[in-house]
Structures are given as structure tokens and as C-alpha cells.
Amino acid sequence: MKHYFHGGIHPADGTDKLLSNQKPIRIYRPKIVEISMKQSPGSVCEAIVKKGDRVSRGDLIGEPKRFGGANIHASISGMVIDVRIDSVSFSQDIEIVVIEADDKEEPEYPTGDYEERLLDLSDYSKDMIIAKMKDGGLTGLGGAGFPTYIKYETKEKISHVLINAAECEPYLTCDHMLMLEHSYAIINGVLLLVKASGAEKALICLEDNKQDAAQVMERIISDKDLPIEIKILPTRYPQGGERQLVEATLGMEVPAGQLPASIGVIINNVGTAKALADIVLGDRPLISRLVTVTGKVKDQGNYLVPIGTRYSELIGASGGFTADISRVIEGGPMTGTCLQIGGSHEELTGSISKVTSGLLVLEDEQKDETPCIRCGECERVCPAGLAPFKIDFAAIENDISLCDKLYATECISCGCCSYVCPAKRELAYRITEAKKEIFKLRWESNK
Amino acid sequence: MKLKVGKELHEVGPHIEINRTSKVIMQDVVIAMIPALLGSIYFFGINSLILVLAAVTTCVLSEYIWQKIRKEQLTVSDWSAVVTGMLIAFNVPSTTPIWAVMIASVFAIIIVKQFYGGIGSNFANPALMGRALLLFLWPASISNYVTSYHAGTDAISSATVLGLYRTGNEITQFSKWDMFIGNIPGCLGETSALLLLIGFAYLCYRRVVNLATTGAYILTVLIMTFVFSQDGLFQGDILTNLLSGGLILGACFMMTDYASVAPRVKVTLAIIAGLVTAGIRIWGMLPEGVSYGILVANCLSGLIETIIRPHIYGVKIKKQK
């Protein structure tokens, strides 16, 4: 039976992905990496190296301060030339470990068997795989960066593992290229995820603009009696939203305020599956990731970079900006964060983290908010079924309890409402702020 | 809660947006009304154009002056006042005195629109409220319908086709084809089904409106008037009901108004408007009920929205499996 998720949009025009699509993965080796001890929202690590230490690639350099974090490893071999406090970060003190590479060229990791054929994984037990996830610092590579082992330590009975390969954000193509070039590693990784979860089946979910990738993987799993199914979904944003993917593939809704595990589903990004294969079968922790560098840069492409590669260097390697006034975005254009407006790429601060799926440069455009005309487009496209324009009014009036009554907490911050708004209102921003405020108040009242 | 305002908002996402603004939408509506405007000039003479220009100018000026006096954000450049002005003129016959149209325009913009907070906040359709005002205060001013110049003779006073139908007359002087192209007495923008539908098709193509609301409204009126006709059950004249009054104008351009019809429940509201319209046409005192039908739906908008709850993802879902 065919299912669809509610709402959604067709952002951009589909040509955005062509900029970097089908461009083979390029390896970029920086001389210096700046590894932040905060790799994903909500998990801060403590640096266990100090200035002057020598580290090898793969060494543990950061350990989580509290539950809910993931280990951080050195992504290149060399000297730790500085451990400094990140000045631009929000409220906490976040350390940044700066490593300068040794002079000699570091060899690539050897290509393992798991990149070329399906391996016999019967020696690997659930606990072993989960332990390796933890040691290897595996987090979700899709965007939220939730430590993967926590998902698999659930007490719930898991029936399905969904592999999120929708890559519904415009412009981004790194998952697509990953599937074309590392299909065996992905399938091996998916089989490991199935073992770790005890699920009956894994569904690899792609949008129909990635038919070639689907065929490549279909060829691998055909007549092998594997617990894997390739699921092709119509292209629509935000297909790759965790809750939307469950709705679109299984026709079920994840109850509000609960994790997908509560209905027996675990969702992982396709990049996470590949990284798990690297950790378990290739014996290397999560120290690099694929990043799509695209938009208004000279040479768009998909780069394999060590975690901690500086943004400025990577944009420089792509030939720099071509826009008059450029807006640099980390992530996709819908949910990504704005790093800088105007200026040159040398002025960019910050570095690639485990969740950086793209660096996007757009031409900056001025826009002004005008009054809402109540066209109802935001309500029509909202995948959560909210009325964004009403929550927007309540948020402006600072009426938090009304925001709560209008279910602002169920917003998934996909940005569809702001995208379609003809009055150019910043709906998604204000609803997200209201949502944070509601959770803050609830947390305070529970204290 | 501390929110970014003004320039600071510039950096929040999403970083791409649809290539459409409120102004473009309003301009599309104006474009969609141009065929019917040209038709009215052809059928009723230059008076139509004068009334439209008077209404539009008054609307735009009153919005501008009001916002200047109140030192509000100037939104007059968004073309919504032009739409209101055109609709006011479309809803009166060509013989209406200019002063009446101007009063209706001032009332629509200042009292119905700006008093409630300007664009997007009006509880009812401003143009219809303007018409309702005239109907209450100076009913004579907008009741002088004339046959069109192209009916063969000079313009002569005539009841509307719907009025004739209502009083049980056999409609002989106007063919169905005349009704379709608009060669009948009536308000200046409502007579030509053909030209209105051309405009409506353009709006659908531009995705400003969709068929559902308009379709639900028209269908409800037609089914009701067919079933409960004055000639007995299932005896109604569908084509006369469809083509002769303001049904198509109302369904295409006023039932689809954004602000006064809650978008989530617009089809339900269209059905309610259809029931009221048909009720007035069948049992009411007036021959025509489109404007009151839509105004009633406008007033019920908030209530219906409260009754029909939206489905929020993950909230109150049935137990699965």
C-alpha cells in the first residue's frame, strides 16, 4: 500500500542538485583541523589532549562530559598546536582542539573487503556492534547528530530500521554520491544496523530523483534473501524528516513527544550506515564525512574531508565565492544555519562537524516582512498539520500558552511555511523560538 | 521570549523562498478581473469604467490616507485596495451614482478592513460589506438595472433575469447564450460567465485559488435550487440559476478571498455559503443571495474552524496495530 506524508513542498526547481550531482567524491586533505568539542547539539565533550601532544589519526581526543554524548577522535595525525575556548559559541565553554598535520603525506585507509562484497556478519553480536558504535563516536550524519548507540540501546521491540537516503534538502548531493560509490559498504552497514536492532527488516528509502542509486543497490541485494528492501518515494520535501519518513513508508505516525522506537522503528541516515561499516569492518572511528560544497562557488562538488576541516579552507579549495554578496550556509538551504553574509571566504570561522552535510553559498537577497494575508499556504504545506500563521501571531504577542495550545511543540522546523509565505514572514524561525520557550518553561516548572 | 526583529531576521532560515509575493497575488487577481471589466464596458458602456475607476481610486486613497494618519506601515502598494475597489464596482449596476460607490469604498477600506487591522485581518469581504451598506442605506441607488446596450434597443430599465425568474416569469427575452456571454441586465461585473471563467482559469493556473472552494459553492447552490425549486421538487432551472445572478462572480472572486474565509475549512464554508445563498434565492425576500450567503460564511469562519479540528501529526492518533 502506498502512503504519503502530510503537507510538504517542492522547493527550488530541481536544477539546484545538478550543480554538484554526479560529481565523483573528491578527497581533500587539510593541513590544519580545528575539531570542536561540540559536534552536535546537546553533546559537549571534554578534550583529553593538551597543547604539544602528538596524536595519530583515530586517537581519542574528546570524551563526553555527560550522558548523551559521543567520543571524538583525531581526524589527522600531527601535533596538537592549541586547545582553545570557542569564543563564538553560545553559553557553554566549548573547547577546540587544533591539530597541525605532520609533514609527511598520510596514506589513505586501505579499501576493505566490505567495500567490494557482502561479508558474512554472523560473528558480530548486537552488543558488540553497539559497543563499537559507542567507541567509534558514531552519531547520525543526517543533521541532528544524535549518538547512534543511544538509539540502539532502546528497550522497545524494534521491527523496522529505516535507512534515510531521501536527501530531500535542495542542493545537497553527498548522500546520492555516497550510494553510487560506496554501495557495498552501505549494504554491509545496513546489515549491521539490522543485527544491532534485532529488526525484521531494513528499508532503504530514496526519492525518485535517485533512481540510479536505487538500481545500484537493488543489484547488490537482488536474489540474496537479505532483510533489506529498497523503497522509492516521490520527491517531496521534507521526506527525510524522521517522522515524515515513518509516515511515508509505513503509514504510521510517531506519537507526539516520543521517539520512533516507541512504535518499533529506528531511523538512520545512509551516511551513518556507511560510517558504521567503516567503524566495525574497517576498524576506524568516525573521523571524516562527505560534504557537498555547492551554490555560488567556482567548482561545486562532493568532498570527503576530515572532521574539523575549516570552512574557509574548503570553500577556498572550491575556488571561492562567485556571488556579489554571498550568504554562506552550513547544511541545506531549508534547515541550514547562516554562517556569514557578505565578505570573502577567508573570513569564515568554524569547521566541519559530524553533522555538516553541505556548505552552500547563495546570492544574498534582501527581503521585507509584510502583513500576513491569510492565504493559508503555510497551513497547507505544514507536515505537522499546524497553522503556522496563528502561532506566528501568538509568538509575536509573546503569548506562550497560546503557542502551546496551537501545538507549536509539534513543529519539526522544516521551514516549509516560511518557504511558501507570499508575505515573506519568518514563520519557521518564530515558531521554533516559541517551541524552545515552551520546553524551557515546562522544564522549569518540573524542577 | 526574545525574538529577532527587523534586520536581524535577515539571517534566519530557510534561505530560499518561493518566487511569489502578496503583491504578485493581488496583481494576478486584478489581471483575472480585466476580461470581465472589458466585457462590462462593452455591454454597459463607459459608465462601467468610470465606476471602476472611482471605486479603485477611493479605495487606494482611503487606505493611503488612513495609514498616513495612523502612522502605520504603508501597505497600500500591495494592490489589495485595487482588488477591493474593482470588486465593489463589479457588485453594483452601471447606473449607480458615483457618490454611492465612493461611500461604499470608504466604508469597505476604513471600517471593514483597517478597523480590524488591515490586510489579512478583515473578518468579512470588504467589497461585499460595501455593497451591503448601500443595500441598507440607499437601496434605490443600486437597484436600477438596465438591459445592456447590445440587447437590440437602447438601455431600458429591467429587472434582473433572476428577479424575473423569481417572480415566476417565463424568461423569453434573454437566451441562455446571452446569459453566458453576459448580455443581460445585472451588476456590471457579474453578468458575463464566460469572461469571469476566463479570469478564474487564469487564477487557477497561477495557483492563486483552487477549484475546490469555488466548485463546492456553485454545486451547493445549484443542487439546492434544483431540488427545492419554486416549480416543485426537482424542477429548478439549473442554467438560469448558474448564469443569471452573481453566483459565478461570488464563487470565483469573493468566496475565494483569503482573509475572511479560514483556509483550512474553506470548502465547508463554501457549502454553508451555498446553502444560505440558495435559501435566500428560494425562500427569501430578495431574488439574489450571493452576497449575504458569502457574508454569513465569513462570519461563521472562526466558529467552523474551532469545530473542525486539524489533525496534528502524532497527536491523538489511534492506537496502531
Side-chain angles (χ1 to χ4, degrees):
Chain A
M1 190 180 153
K2 255 188 137 62
H3 303 291
Y4 297 95
F5 71 93
H6 180 88
I9 53 173
H10 292 278
D13 52 1
T15 57
D16 46 284
K17 290 209 185 229
L18 300 180
L19 292 174
S20 56
N21 203 7
Q22 307 302 340
K23 289 200 177 169
I25 297 169
R26 282 181 267 182
I27 295 170
Y28 179 73
R29 294 157 184 278
K31 271 272 159 237
I32 289 179
V33 291
E34 295 177 354
I35 304 174
S36 166
M37 288 298 111
K38 186 180 181 184
Q39 286 290 328
S40 54
S43 81
V44 180
C45 285
E46 192 160 15
I48 56 166
V49 289
K50 54 186 187 304
K51 192 174 170 179
D53 287 356
R54 188 180 184 288
V55 291
S56 300
R57 182 170 60 180
D59 285 356
L60 190 64
I61 58 166
E63 278 178 343
K65 278 183 182 169
R66 54 174 181 271
F67 173 79
N71 290 339
I72 299 174
H73 302 81
S75 56
I76 58 174
S77 302
M79 297 296 285
V80 176
I81 57 168
D82 200 5
V83 177
R84 60 180 157 86
I85 300 292
D86 185 2
S87 52
V88 289
S89 65
F90 310 95
S91 51
Q92 309 137 295
D93 290 338
I94 292 160
E95 292 167 304
I96 295 180
V97 176
V98 187
I99 305 171
E100 188 177 34
D102 293 337
D103 285 338
K104 57 179 187 292
E105 182 90 341
E106 206 165 3
E108 263 309 292
Y109 277 107
T111 311
D113 271 356
Y114 66 98
E115 290 274 15
E116 273 143 27
R117 60 193 174 82
L118 294 176
L119 298 186
D120 175 22
L121 303 170
S122 51
D123 292 345
Y124 295 92
S125 71
K126 176 182 167 91
D127 295 341
M128 203 167 134
I129 298 169
I130 295 178
K132 290 218 173 204
M133 283 177 184
K134 204 168 175 176
D135 291 343
L138 186 62
T139 65
L141 297 181
F146 196 65
T148 310
Y149 72 91
I150 299 177
K151 284 188 185 174
Y152 286 84
E153 279 175 347
T154 176
K155 300 256 178 317
E156 308 275 351
K157 167 103 185 67
I158 300 300
S159 60
H160 289 86
V161 174
L162 298 185
I163 303 300
N164 186 351
E167 200 165 52
C168 54
E169 277 262 8
Y171 288 97
L172 301 185
T173 53
C174 56
D175 286 352
H176 191 174
M177 291 316 295
L178 185 78
M179 287 187 279
L180 289 176
E181 296 196 12
H182 296 279
S183 43
Y184 274 100
I186 290 170
I187 302 289
N188 278 316
V190 173
L191 291 171
L192 287 171
L193 288 174
V194 173
K195 285 205 103 169
S197 63
E200 301 150 19
K201 202 164 153 191
L203 297 173
I204 302 181
C205 316
L206 306 91
E207 293 194 329
D208 54 12
N209 56 6
K210 292 181 258 302
Q211 297 282 4
D212 51 348
Q215 279 164 14
V216 168
M217 290 193 293
E218 194 77 62
R219 228 171 286 141
I220 296 174
I221 62 167
S222 61
D223 9 288
K224 294 236 174 59
D225 193 29
L226 296 173
I228 298 180
E229 191 187 313
I230 311 280
K231 188 114 185 164
I232 298 177
L233 306 162
T235 301
R236 195 164 178 78
Y237 177 88
Q239 189 94 253
E242 199 167 70
R243 283 154 189 266
Q244 280 55 51
L245 199 64
V246 174
E247 193 180 6
T249 50
L250 305 172
M252 296 194 285
E253 288 184 23
V254 182
Q258 295 191 36
L259 293 171
S262 65
I263 53 167
V265 182
I266 291 183
I267 295 136
N268 276 123
N269 188 267
V270 65
T272 314
K274 156 77 166 61
L276 180 67
D278 286 341
I279 291 170
V280 177
L281 308 170
D283 216 19
R284 57 177 128 147
L286 177 58
I287 52 167
S288 60
R289 71 155 297 141
L290 272 184
V291 178
T292 303
V293 183
T294 187
K296 297 270 185 192
V297 290
K298 270 208 194 75
D299 187 16
Q300 300 92 352
N302 304 292
Y303 292 85
L304 180 66
V305 297
I307 305 293
T309 304
R310 288 174 298 179
Y311 296 139
S312 51
E313 226 181 308
L314 191 52
I315 301 256
S318 315
F321 300 156
T322 56
D324 294 334
I325 302 173
S326 27
R327 166 187 284 249
V328 189
I329 296 146
E330 183 209 348
M334 295 299 293
T335 58
T337 41
C338 181
L339 297 171
Q340 178 180 309
I341 296 171
S344 67
H345 68 266
E346 282 95 1
E347 293 165 44
L348 272 170
T349 55
S351 58
I352 302 292
S353 72
K354 291 178 182 176
V355 296
T356 312
S357 45
L359 274 184
L360 170 63
V361 183
L362 294 174
E363 183 75 60
D364 193 49
E365 277 163 22
Q366 287 293 333
K367 55 177 177 183
D368 289 315
E369 282 189 283
T370 56
C372 170
I373 58 169
R374 292 188 195 236
C375 59
E377 279 291 287
C378 52
E379 199 169 15
R380 188 176 65 81
V381 301
C382 180
L386 309 177
F389 66 101
K390 291 187 185 167
I391 306 175
D392 184 48
F393 285 132
I396 289 171
E397 297 295 327
N398 214 347
D399 189 343
I400 304 297
S401 71
L402 180 57
C403 291
D404 200 0
K405 267 185 214 136
L406 293 166
Y407 296 100
T409 48
E410 300 313 307
C411 170
I412 59 164
S413 304
C414 63
C416 288
C417 47
S418 299
Y419 176 84
V420 295
C421 182
K424 309 294 167 205
R425 300 191 67 75
E426 296 294 356
L427 303 161
Y429 161 72
R430 279 189 289 262
I431 296 168
T432 308
E433 291 298 309
K435 179 171 72 172
K436 285 186 204 158
E437 191 71 16
I438 294 168
F439 284 131
K440 206 174 102 193
L441 291 178
R442 281 187 193 173
W443 188 70
E444 276 166 8
S445 66
N446 282 340
K447 241 191 332 198
Chain B
M1 179 169 55
K2 203 172 162 349
L3 289 171
K4 294 181 178 181
V5 286
K7 282 253 181 297
E8 303 167 329
L9 272 175
H10 185 49
E11 57 190 60
V12 306
H15 308 282
I16 50 173
E17 61 195 28
I18 201 164
N19 183 19
R20 189 159 93 153
T21 61
S22 308
K23 189 170 169 176
V24 170
I25 292 176
M26 294 304 162
Q27 285 168 342
D28 275 340
V29 179
V30 171
I31 291 169
M33 285 194 285
I34 284 177
L37 171 63
L38 296 177
S40 73
I41 298 171
Y42 176 77
F43 293 124
F44 300 113
I46 199 71
N47 230 7
S48 303
L49 184 64
I50 293 170
L51 286 181
V52 170
L53 288 179
V56 168
T57 319
T58 317
C59 282
V60 172
L61 275 181
S62 19
E63 183 161 322
Y64 178 78
I65 292 168
W66 175 263
Q67 289 179 336
K68 268 282 169 204
I69 293 172
R70 299 255 307 152
K71 298 194 173 57
E72 286 172 1
Q73 182 189 0
L74 276 184
T75 59
V76 75
S77 61
D78 64 19
W79 284 66
S80 64
V82 178
V83 173
T84 303
M86 284 182 83
L87 280 176
I88 290 173
F90 271 27
N91 273 298
V92 296
S94 60
T95 52
T96 311
I98 291 178
W99 61 264
V101 168
M102 288 168 78
I103 288 174
S105 303
V106 173
F107 175 77
I109 291 293
I110 305 287
I111 297 187
V112 184
K113 190 174 165 195
Q114 298 301 334
F115 270 24
Y116 288 84
I119 182 168
S121 304
N122 46 298
F123 75 96
N125 190 312
L128 285 180
M129 289 295 276
R131 177 185 149 91
L133 179 86
L134 292 184
L135 216 50
F136 276 122
L137 295 183
W138 300 283
S141 72
I142 61 164
S143 306
N144 187 14
Y145 295 100
V146 290
T147 57
S148 78
Y149 289 109
H150 300 271
T153 54
D154 277 343
I156 45 163
S157 289
S158 160
T160 58
V161 180
L162 210 55
L164 293 170
Y165 176 68
R166 179 64 196 282
T167 45
N169 289 318
E170 196 77 22
I171 314 285
T172 48
Q173 61 271 56
F174 306 108
S175 69
K176 291 287 190 299
W177 175 250
D178 278 338
M179 293 183 197
F180 180 63
I181 61 163
N183 198 7
I184 48 170
C187 294
L188 64 86
E190 75 179 15
T191 59
S192 177
L194 172 68
L195 298 173
L196 287 169
L197 289 175
I198 290 173
F200 183 69
Y202 173 76
L203 284 187
C204 287
Y205 167 72
R206 297 281 291 170
R207 305 217 176 163
V208 175
V209 298
N210 65 22
L211 266 175
T213 330
T214 303
Y217 182 48
I218 291 179
L219 272 181
T220 312
V221 173
L222 293 188
I223 291 171
M224 281 287 288
T225 49
F226 173 69
V227 174
F228 302 102
S229 94
Q230 56 202 10
D231 308 326
L233 283 183
F234 301 100
Q235 298 284 316
D237 185 341
I238 293 177
L239 276 180
T240 301
N241 267 307
L242 173 66
L243 298 174
S244 65
L247 183 59
I248 290 177
L249 175 66
C252 295
F253 290 95
M254 287 178 298
M255 198 61 229
T256 52
D257 177 39
Y258 288 151
S260 50
V261 179
R264 184 166 51 80
V265 291
K266 58 190 177 188
V267 174
T268 315
L269 288 171
I271 292 170
I272 292 173
L275 294 177
V276 176
T277 304
I280 294 174
R281 279 192 181 183
I282 301 164
W283 299 295
M285 199 177 67
L286 299 162
E288 176 59 304
V290 170
S291 46
Y292 290 125
I294 295 174
L295 286 176
V296 167
N298 287 167
C299 296
L300 289 174
S301 170
L303 177 68
I304 301 294
E305 214 185 359
T306 321
I307 294 172
I308 303 178
R309 307 297 303 173
H311 174 70
I312 310 283
Y313 183 102
V315 176
K316 288 180 198 143
I317 46 176
K318 285 185 219 106
K319 195 90 185 113
Q320 284 149 344
K321 280 192 287 189

